[in-house]
Amino acid sequence: MDVAQAGFLSAAGLVAGLVNGVAGGGSLVSFPALLAAGYPALGANVTSTVAIWPGYLGGTAGFRREVRAQQDRIRQIGLTTLVGAGCGAALLLTTPSGFFRQVAPFL
């Protein structure tokens, strides 16, 4: 990776973090930036998700009172969320990279 590409990805990461902090959806910035830098679609998706994940922890910590007030709802949808995440991860790991690159913009 050269200096220009590192600078581009760093700037995209900063913008993605800002977007995520304000409104969510930072991966709409980071994922295309990783694709533009030449990363394969599957690797770009995983990298984008892992890179933005700590921001969700910060948001949860910042809104802990509001989250605590939603504990009943969290219990109600928690199992569905875990099953859906597991199915999504399994599909992600078994889907050929070329097919994933084609359908990713629609997901």
Side-chain angles (χ1 to χ4, degrees), residues 3-68:
V3 175
Q5 188 178 36
F8 169 71
L9 290 176
S10 295
L14 178 65
V15 171
L18 291 171
V19 168
N20 235 25
V22 172
S27 60
L28 293 173
V29 175
S30 60
F31 180 69
L34 288 162
L35 290 178
Y39 285 82
L42 185 59
N45 182 46
V46 172
T47 301
S48 176
T49 301
V50 170
I52 290 176
W53 181 76
Y56 291 119
L57 289 179
T60 301
F63 288 99
R64 62 187 167 277
R65 284 185 223 135
E66 289 82 356
V67 171
R68 195 175 301 121

Side-chain angles (χ1 to χ4, degrees), residues 1 10 13 15 43 84 88 90 94 96 102 107:
M1 177 182 314
S10 295
V15 171
T94 58
Q102 291 175 339
L107 298 175

